[in-house]
Amino acid sequence: MAEEVTPDELDITDELIAERRTEQPGETPEDMTPWQRPITAAIDILNMWAGRLICLLMLPLILAIVFEVVSRNLFAILTQNGMHSVATAWGLGPTLWVYDISRMIGGVLFMAAAGYALLRGVHIRADFLYRTWSPKTQATVDATLYMAFYLPAMLFFTWVSTEYWLKAFLVNETAADSTWAPILWPARLAMPVGAALLFLQGFPELFRAFHQMGKERERIFLRILPFYAIVLTVVTVGVFFPDVLPLGDVWESIFGSGPGIDKPTIGLIMLAVMLFAIFVGFPISFTLIFLGFVFGTWGANFKLATFLMTLQTNSVMLSDQLVAVPLFIFMGIVMEQAGLMERLFQAVQMMMSRTRGALFIAVLFVSTIFAAATGIVGASVTILGIMAARTMNKSGYDVRLAAGTITAGGTLGILIPPSIMLIVMGPVLEVPVTDLFRAAIIPGIMLAGLYLLYSLGRCWLNPDLGPILPPEEQPETSPYYLLEVVLVMASLVFLIWLITRGLVEGFGFPLGALVVPCAWIGVMFAVYGWLNKTRPGGFYFSELWYEFFMGLVPPTVLIAFALGSILAGWATPAEASACGAFGAIVLSVLYRKFTIPGLYEALLKSLEITVLIMFLVAASNFFGAVFSNLGTPKMLTELLLSLDMSPVLILMLIMALIFLLGWPLEWVPIVLIIVPILIPTVTSLDLGFENTNDLLVWFAILVAVNLQTAWLSPPVALSAYFLKGVVPEWDLRDIYFGMMQFMVIQLIGLTLIFLFPQIALWLPNFIYGQ
């Protein structure tokens, strides 16, 4: 399959989107059954406009949160300087409305646009087996599962969420967890609207499957369709109006009260069916919703299942932590569009041109910087491949080591903050996202350092693996090139120290944390210009340093302040993400890369990835709530603890399980489905930690590094396919061998964090003063 991937078919915005649709919304094949074409086109266009309009909500979301941050901090600064009356007159201070407005907009973004995401083909599926089947088989399986799983689940979801919204509307329910106490029904309206749009979009997907399977098979399904509609209607009436149609009584009179299976065993069956359904290849979120309804009704009752469904969806929609997900994604996409990654790569490549393995250094340096901007593996691997592969080929670099460096560097985005995975994992583990960000910094830098040491070590042992660039490709420099390097590096180190000092201690005057580093940047540019103009003793800075600064300093300062504000406790992840997104737009304007169509495209891509992740979060939470209600996690915990094994060995087995699941599955279902099942077992292990928070933070970093390792594990790792797509001349076998080298290094890093937990825990404890 990998050989068939082409760059034009590969979307680099996210590695999870494996089935993105290429035709335009409303576009239908000429030979599709005539009566299906207008239905398909009309529903497609409806969901297309829903997505196009809803993505615009991201702009007021950014502006509202930025307003809160500016207003609150200006109020604090003016008050500290005896200007409280001025701050009050200007209406500054912490707002009452931003917290509620922002989380409501975040909930509307992912819920109301879920149908649009299905139209665009971005709901995640585990296609490990699915992609090996013929198109006709894929279409037949899809049609069967849409009828068996999707349509009933979405119909039930629409009905239940409508009832949930109607109750809030009739009693004029307000939020009980905020001072502002806003009315909830306008935001909750997104739930039934989104569910209805999803239900409707199921019909175009079904019709497309009919068309793809061929006329002969389609005729069989079309004969079944009227009977299916009758059965679905009868079941729906029986479920929601049992007094009118008591299906439960009829079922029990025919088959009895059931097999008498206890609840934990029902949970095990639920888990087995879930794994089977996922590996068949149907979109995971819809599978989880259907199984939650079915097994929740079997193990308890339908009323409890519907309560858990609405409760979990509503909690995700109103989560103040998950608001950061769309904004950090948007920040990364805007910075990617600005071309900063390419500019920085070329500058570092020229700067290190006299060093063996210079391109390996450039790849790893750039990937580390932009891991903190994109957090998206697919984007990083693809862009690095486009930028570096051709130059590496031309310079005679070893293909395997080059492929391993690119894929390994690209995976850093899954770990280095602001990792989207860590933002999602925080609520799952019930630990602060800020603690996870702090804990991930040193492991992320350590892994990048291990990659670099390995690459340069190989080049030192065998210079042919990474030759020095030809003299004609080396940049012109002054006679004092070494002095150039020393001065530039020292200036950058001093800049980083100023940013750190400003965030931690400040400089004793308002906005000093921002003014002083920016002033130092001004000094660096002034000295650069003066030396290049006067050239004392023949010394000057070559032009590559300007490119280096313009590629490195602005995005680095933006990322440093966004992350630094989180780590220092100045801002929540949502606030930092909004400021980062706003700063990314400003950067794109300053770099003259800003366009309205580009901004709109970034909004749409951010919306698609947001729906992909957030809808699966809601579906997984529902599935997990039903699973926990059945008591299966407790049973599994007791079973594991009863084994004659040490706690360390049990944890090693858990890590091995996550590593193996990381081959066929993406990080999203593992973090949202598998990890919650394992949490009770992990917290029950006596591993010598003083508190549960430290244990869970350490466990989260182990999981993150473990899943990063799985990204480099052939034959399923999508990193290989993304790289092969943009570098078709590289053999897939060589890419695999290159990845496996760095997978071993990754396992060494995982082992170090396992053996020495302080690698992850030192920085959080240091910041907390422990």
Side-chain angles (χ1 to χ4, degrees):
M1 285 297 296
E3 285 79 358
E4 299 174 4
V5 181
T6 63
D8 292 337
E9 297 171 349
L10 204 60
D11 193 287
I12 63 174
T13 55
D14 197 81
E15 64 277 2
L16 303 174
I17 300 175
E19 54 170 333
R20 185 187 295 274
R21 186 162 289 129
T22 54
E23 68 264 20
Q24 293 300 312
E27 197 176 350
T28 57
E30 294 288 340
D31 55 343
M32 178 182 276
T33 302
W35 66 268
Q36 297 172 10
R37 292 187 66 190
I39 298 173
T40 300
I43 296 175
D44 277 359
I45 292 172
L46 174 64
N47 270 308
M48 175 193 71
W49 280 106
R52 287 181 176 180
L53 293 174
I54 290 166
C55 76
L56 298 175
L57 289 175
M58 212 171 295
L59 295 177
L61 174 61
I62 294 170
L63 293 176
I65 298 177
V66 169
F67 175 81
E68 156 69 20
V69 173
V70 172
S71 176
R72 187 181 67 228
N73 285 285
L74 276 179
F75 177 81
I77 291 169
L78 292 174
T79 301
Q80 289 171 3
N81 288 272
M83 302 172 67
H84 180 79
S85 58
V86 175
T88 304
W90 288 357
L92 300 176
T95 63
L96 289 176
W97 56 273
V98 167
Y99 171 77
D100 291 297
I101 289 294
S102 61
R103 61 181 184 154
M104 287 182 180
I105 291 177
V108 171
L109 273 173
F110 92 87
M111 192 65 239
Y116 168 78
L118 181 60
L119 161 70
R120 298 296 295 141
V122 299
H123 281 290
I124 183 174
R125 68 164 83 217
D127 61 350
F128 178 48
L129 296 176
Y130 181 87
R131 66 186 179 192
T132 64
W133 299 336
S134 68
K136 285 188 175 182
T137 303
Q138 290 179 349
T140 305
V141 171
D142 275 347
T144 303
L145 294 180
Y146 267 109
M147 294 172 67
F149 281 10
Y150 181 87
L151 292 175
M154 290 304 105
L155 181 58
F156 289 176
F157 185 26
T158 303
W159 197 295
V160 170
S161 58
T162 301
E163 290 181 340
Y164 189 64
W165 167 79
L166 188 59
K167 289 178 182 177
F169 176 75
L170 293 175
V171 301
N172 216 27
E173 183 184 357
T174 59
D177 59 345
S178 79
T179 307
W180 193 42
I183 298 171
L184 288 176
W185 68 260
R188 282 194 180 156
L189 182 60
M191 198 186 299
V193 169
L197 290 174
L198 267 173
F199 176 68
L200 289 175
Q201 190 60 39
F203 292 100
E205 304 308 310
L206 183 64
F207 297 157
R208 287 190 175 95
F210 286 169
H211 170 259
Q212 194 172 15
M213 70 175 62
K215 294 299 181 184
E216 185 177 344
R217 294 187 184 183
E218 181 182 2
R219 279 193 290 269
I220 298 173
F221 276 88
L222 290 179
R223 291 192 192 104
I224 298 172
L225 204 56
F227 300 100
Y228 169 81
I230 293 170
V231 170
L232 183 59
T233 303
V234 169
V235 170
T236 304
V237 172
V239 166
F240 291 102
F241 301 98
D243 295 335
V244 176
L245 190 62
L247 283 183
D249 297 339
V250 175
W251 180 273
E252 188 170 336
S253 65
I254 298 174
F255 298 102
S257 59
I261 301 175
D262 62 350
K263 284 187 176 184
T265 306
I266 293 175
L268 286 178
I269 298 173
M270 179 186 185
L271 185 62
V273 173
M274 180 270 295
L275 292 173
F276 171 77
I278 285 177
F279 280 102
V280 166
F282 196 65
I284 296 173
S285 53
F286 309 133
T287 302
L288 296 178
I289 291 173
F290 176 79
L291 295 180
F293 277 128
V294 171
F295 285 89
T297 304
W298 182 15
N301 55 70
F302 187 74
K303 186 175 182 180
L304 176 64
T306 56
F307 171 75
L308 291 175
M309 176 73 233
T310 51
L311 178 67
Q312 294 300 324
T313 304
N314 183 69
S315 66
V316 172
M317 288 180 65
L318 296 182
S319 171
D320 58 316
Q321 294 191 60
L322 293 176
V323 172
V325 171
L327 300 183
F328 273 130
I329 292 171
F330 177 75
M331 169 183 162
I333 291 175
V334 171
M335 292 182 71
E336 174 194 316
Q337 288 180 341
L340 302 180
M341 204 169 181
E342 293 90 338
R343 191 170 191 172
L344 181 57
F345 175 80
Q346 292 168 3
V348 176
Q349 170 191 337
M350 291 294 100
M351 184 179 69
M352 306 300 296
S353 60
R354 296 178 176 85
T355 306
R356 297 195 185 281
L359 294 175
F360 297 143
I361 299 173
V363 164
L364 292 171
F365 182 84
V366 173
S367 61
T368 303
I369 295 295
F370 273 79
T374 61
I376 302 171
V377 175
S380 297
V381 170
T382 306
I383 296 173
L384 289 168
I386 292 171
M387 291 188 307
R390 184 174 299 174
T391 307
M392 287 176 162
N393 288 339
K394 185 179 178 181
S395 303
Y397 273 57
D398 179 70
V399 171
R400 293 182 177 181
L401 190 57
T405 306
I406 292 172
T407 51
T411 62
L412 290 171
I414 205 172
L415 178 63
I416 294 178
S419 163
I420 302 301
M421 183 175 69
L422 294 181
I423 296 175
V424 173
M425 201 184 298
V428 171
L429 296 173
E430 296 183 354
V431 297
V433 174
T434 51
D435 286 0
L436 298 183
F437 279 5
R438 292 163 179 165
I441 290 176
I442 293 178
I445 295 173
M446 179 189 73
L447 288 172
L450 290 174
Y451 297 157
L452 185 61
L453 287 174
Y454 176 74
S455 301
L456 295 183
R458 290 286 307 278
C459 291
W460 180 71
L461 294 173
N462 183 1
D464 293 336
L465 296 178
I468 294 174
L469 293 182
E472 62 271 14
E473 295 187 15
Q474 296 179 10
E476 177 190 352
T477 61
S478 74
Y480 308 99
Y481 179 67
L482 182 60
L483 182 59
E484 289 182 62
V485 175
V486 171
L487 289 175
V488 169
M489 292 300 114
S491 299
L492 288 176
V493 169
F494 188 63
L495 174 63
I496 293 171
W497 180 83
L498 288 175
I499 293 174
T500 306
R501 163 70 189 273
L503 290 171
V504 175
E505 300 179 19
F507 290 99
F509 63 93
L511 298 178
L514 181 63
V515 171
V516 173
C518 289
W520 177 246
I521 293 173
V523 170
M524 287 193 291
F525 273 99
V527 171
Y528 170 84
W530 176 77
L531 286 174
N532 281 15
K533 184 177 181 179
T534 60
R535 300 198 174 190
F539 175 80
Y540 65 95
F541 286 107
S542 55
E543 292 183 3
L544 70 91
W545 296 115
Y546 178 80
E547 290 298 311
F548 179 67
F549 270 93
M550 294 303 293
L552 174 67
V553 172
T556 302
V557 170
L558 174 63
I559 294 166
F561 276 103
L563 288 181
S565 61
I566 298 174
L567 302 178
W570 286 7
T572 65
E575 292 173 342
S577 65
C579 294
F582 183 79
I585 295 174
V586 173
L587 272 184
S588 69
V589 172
L590 296 177
Y591 278 81
R592 298 180 181 179
K593 297 286 186 178
F594 178 83
T595 62
I596 296 299
L599 176 66
Y600 190 62
E601 182 184 0
L603 291 171
L604 276 174
K605 289 182 177 180
S606 302
L607 178 69
E608 291 172 2
I609 303 171
T610 299
V611 174
L612 181 154
I613 294 173
M614 298 285 281
F615 196 82
L616 188 52
V617 170
S620 301
N621 284 1
F622 171 46
F623 180 90
V626 173
F627 188 75
S628 298
N629 181 264
L630 294 173
T632 311
K634 182 179 179 181
M635 183 190 74
L636 292 175
T637 300
E638 292 172 350
L639 177 63
L640 282 172
L641 294 178
S642 66
L643 299 176
D644 189 17
M645 291 190 299
S646 68
V648 172
L649 187 56
I650 292 176
L651 187 58
M652 290 175 65
L653 289 175
I654 289 173
M655 287 294 109
L657 173 64
I658 292 174
F659 177 76
L660 292 175
L661 289 174
W663 287 16
L665 298 179
E666 308 292 351
W667 66 262
V668 182
I670 293 175
V671 167
L672 295 173
I673 303 172
I674 305 301
V675 169
I677 295 172
L678 298 172
I679 289 174
T681 302
V682 173
T683 54
S684 301
L685 298 176
D686 183 11
L687 294 166
F689 287 88
E690 294 183 1
N691 58 71
T692 304
N693 189 76
D694 281 357
L695 170 62
L696 290 176
V697 168
W698 177 62
F699 176 68
I701 300 304
L702 287 177
V703 171
V705 176
N706 199 338
L707 292 177
Q708 188 180 343
T709 306
W711 268 99
L712 303 173
S713 308
V716 186
L718 284 178
S719 297
Y721 303 134
F722 275 91
L723 185 57
K724 174 67 177 177
V726 295
V727 196
E729 64 269 26
W730 283 1
D731 190 270
L732 193 61
R733 182 180 59 180
D734 289 330
I735 297 176
Y736 280 163
F737 274 113
M739 293 170 63
M740 289 173 68
Q741 299 174 45
F742 286 84
M743 186 184 72
V744 174
I745 299 172
Q746 190 80 24
L747 288 173
I748 292 172
L750 179 63
T751 303
L752 289 173
I753 299 170
F754 190 94
L755 295 176
F756 306 103
Q758 287 304 311
I759 294 175
L761 297 178
W762 177 81
L763 184 59
N765 290 334
F766 174 77
I767 293 176
Y768 282 129
Q770 299 176 8

